Amino acid sequence: MFSPQRAFSVVLTVAVCSLTACSIAGGSGRSLPAPQRARAANKPAASSGPIQHIVIMIQENRSFDDFFATFPGADGATTGKRHNGKIIPLKEQTLAGLDINHTWHDYVRDYDSGNMDGFDLSYIGQQPAGTYPYQYVNPAQIAPYWTIARQYALADHMFQTQGSGSFTAHQDLIAGGTAIDPYDSLVDTPSSSLFWGCDAPPSTTTSLITTGGQYLLDQGPFPCLTYPTGTLRDLLDAQKVSWKYYTPPHKQSTAGALWNAFAAIAAVRHGLEWATNISIPETNVLSDIATKRLPAVAWVIPDQPDSDHPHRPHGIYHGPEWVASVVNAIGTSSYWKTTAIVIVWDDWGGFYDHEPPPFLDTAGGLGFRVPMLVVSPYVPAGTISHTQYEFGSILKFVEGTFNLGSLGTTDARATSISDIFNFNQQPRAFSPIPAVLNRRYFLHRPPSYEPVDSQ
């Protein structure tokens, strides 16, 4: 059974992996260190292979088992283990649901020293979750995802970089980690109930996890950051590779309102790129595809109704159709033969997953499994990759594709997702992904102005 003392001992006593040793194929007032330019190889900016565009679509809060428990050939499970050792079946549920707590402390409790049996000790707000996390979504409700998995690739061993929530996950997907110095990494969400970045109130702090495994609540710096190694933006800019971050508009009244990883990066939020590279609303990606202005690298953040977040206040769940609309837009455009689309979920959302993370590092990870889909004319149909990946694997693929060099964070230890592709095959013709809604719907629907997540 979980106990706080045991949770900390998990992190303190585990053997620590170095940045290169774990790749397996198949305080408040603290000042940040002086910025260093991210290392970039002195190589041409253009891709040397057929992929000239990489689109990274980031969805919300789902474990692998929650979406693909019953997918044929994948490492899913239809039963789960409770903290008392009892094995129970996972219940089939709808895409709609409740928001299970999913902070670092929830991760440690769920993980329970690798036993993966603490999920029934979770909470939904202040209420015990009981067996609620032990479920999977009816495949008919996420049919576009299953179609993509059948026609292209599904990865069943993609792990979060950190066992934490959405703020750090989105940082991990641009920086490969959240280390602010050799001893501390950001974890969980900033203290502000308004913004999660440079626009937060001046008193806003972040929380930290130390290399010794100590959790420091609200003892981290203001969330307007300059990471010692930079972000992928630094590597892209150094090699003059185009990029955009497509993100929805926001209100100024709710937690996580400015749902944008680069809103917490000082050089972007207070620089010229805020106007040129941060593209609001997120549906601009559909317009840029149609007008042939798609950048070489794109991150795409969904509006709240399209995010797959289990709790939708207005009961709208259009995540699968949103993803399908972007995939179909690219697939029926001139970009098809030169594009790779990576669809990944930012964290486990508190839902049960049976597969323990393969190691613990000093930054609160690896976290739990999340689904990853890869769409490309160079992906053999029906690929199920069992390779161990983490979010740094996506960054490593971008770096390798465009000859960027390495950030030297988790991308250094990660296995690139390049093994999913077969660049020797002829590019496959695109088959549209059936979906109830299409790009026209998303282009003309008013934005929700709501945050994607608050944890």
Side-chain angles (χ1 to χ4, degrees):
M1 180 182 297
F2 167 82
S3 69
Q5 293 80 8
R6 184 179 185 184
F8 286 119
S9 70
V10 170
V11 182
L12 287 165
T13 60
V14 69
V16 176
C17 299
S18 72
L19 284 178
T20 57
C22 291
S23 178
I24 303 173
S28 178
R30 295 178 184 227
S31 59
L32 297 181
Q36 300 175 20
R37 191 68 175 176
R39 297 187 297 278
N42 186 21
K43 295 180 180 180
S47 167
S48 57
I51 298 300
Q52 303 291 325
H53 306 274
I54 299 175
V55 177
I56 305 166
M57 301 193 70
I58 306 169
Q59 297 294 101
E60 286 287 309
N61 294 34
R62 299 287 177 170
S63 70
F64 185 88
D65 282 342
D66 189 54
F67 266 10
F68 292 100
T70 61
F71 193 86
D75 182 14
T78 55
T79 62
K81 185 164 58 172
R82 301 188 63 178
H83 76 282
N84 59 7
K86 183 178 179 180
I87 305 298
I88 61 171
L90 304 189
K91 293 183 179 180
E92 184 178 276
Q93 301 282 8
T94 65
L95 187 55
L98 302 175
D99 189 7
I100 309 166
N101 297 356
H102 48 281
T103 66
W104 182 79
H105 288 291
D106 300 303
Y107 159 77
V108 173
R109 180 189 54 240
D110 293 352
Y111 175 74
D112 189 22
S113 299
N115 292 312
M116 304 296 283
D117 61 1
F119 293 83
D120 59 334
L121 300 176
S122 299
Y123 282 79
I124 299 170
Q126 301 298 316
Q127 300 298 316
T131 60
Y132 183 80
Y134 296 81
Q135 61 172 273
Y136 64 92
V137 174
N138 182 338
Q141 298 227 324
I142 51 173
Y145 296 147
W146 277 51
T147 299
I148 291 170
R150 291 189 184 102
Q151 293 185 186
Y152 298 100
L154 170 67
D156 63 6
H157 282 76
M158 165 59 78
F159 293 87
Q160 294 175 243
T161 303
Q162 296 165 279
S164 183
S166 292
F167 175 75
T168 47
H170 284 244
Q171 293 297 300
D172 295 332
L173 284 160
I174 64 169
T178 59
I180 60 170
D181 57 43
Y183 312 103
D184 306 286
S185 294
L186 303 181
V187 70
D188 291 342
T189 59
S191 62
S192 171
S193 61
L194 294 175
F195 293 107
W196 281 1
C198 297
D199 295 294
S203 60
T204 303
T205 56
T206 51
S207 295
L208 300 173
I209 186 168
T210 73
T211 54
Q214 187 177 7
Y215 182 88
L216 304 176
L217 177 66
D218 294 338
Q219 296 184 48
F222 181 75
C224 192
L225 309 167
T226 301
Y227 289 116
T229 55
T231 69
L232 201 55
R233 162 256 186 191
D234 295 278
L235 298 185
L236 294 166
D237 285 354
Q239 297 293 356
K240 297 180 172 58
V241 178
S242 61
W243 64 273
K244 284 187 179 181
Y245 196 95
Y246 297 93
T247 187
H250 63 280
K251 288 181 180 177
Q252 299 185 12
S253 59
T254 51
L258 197 53
W259 194 241
N260 179 335
F262 283 107
I265 304 303
V268 177
R269 181 63 188 96
H270 297 316
L272 296 177
E273 286 176 318
W274 188 255
T276 59
N277 295 68
I278 306 304
S279 189
I280 301 172
E282 82 291 349
T283 51
N284 285 347
V285 68
L286 296 170
S287 302
D288 282 357
I289 293 166
T291 57
K292 302 186 186 304
R293 293 184 295 178
L294 186 69
V297 178
W299 290 266
V300 182
I301 310 304
D303 197 1
Q304 187 197 60
D306 312 325
S307 67
D308 295 328
H309 191 283
H311 178 56
R312 296 270 60 80
H314 304 295
I316 302 172
Y317 295 85
H318 291 164
E321 286 79 12
W322 161 245
V323 169
S325 74
V326 176
V327 171
N328 287 337
I330 292 172
T332 56
S333 75
S334 60
Y335 290 115
W336 171 240
K337 291 185 180 181
T338 61
T339 300
I341 307 167
V342 181
I343 304 141
V344 69
W345 284 256
D346 66 348
D347 65 59
W348 86 111
F351 292 105
Y352 179 78
D353 194 80
H354 77 278
E355 188 70 35
F359 62 84
L360 295 180
D361 61 17
T362 61
L366 291 176
F368 294 134
R369 287 192 311 168
V370 294
M372 183 178 72
L373 299 166
V374 179
V375 181
S376 170
Y378 304 98
V379 170
T383 296
I384 300 178
S385 175
H386 304 302
T387 303
Q388 177 185 308
Y389 301 122
E390 57 186 289
F391 290 166
S393 300
I394 301 172
L395 272 62
K396 193 165 193 168
F397 176 64
V398 174
E399 293 165 347
T401 298
F402 297 104
N403 304 301
L404 300 178
S406 173
L407 282 171
T409 57
T410 61
D411 57 327
R413 73 186 182 194
T415 299
S416 171
I417 64 170
S418 59
D419 64 343
I420 289 176
F421 299 81
N422 178 7
F423 294 118
N424 294 318
Q425 74 179 32
Q426 289 296 311
R428 298 168 49 201
F430 179 69
S431 296
I433 307 301
V436 175
L437 305 174
N438 58 26
R439 74 185 84 174
R440 184 177 302 174
Y441 169 84
F442 293 102
L443 283 169
H444 293 286
R445 182 199 63 190
S448 74
Y449 295 105
E450 295 293 338
V452 179
D453 198 1
S454 61
Q455 194 177 85

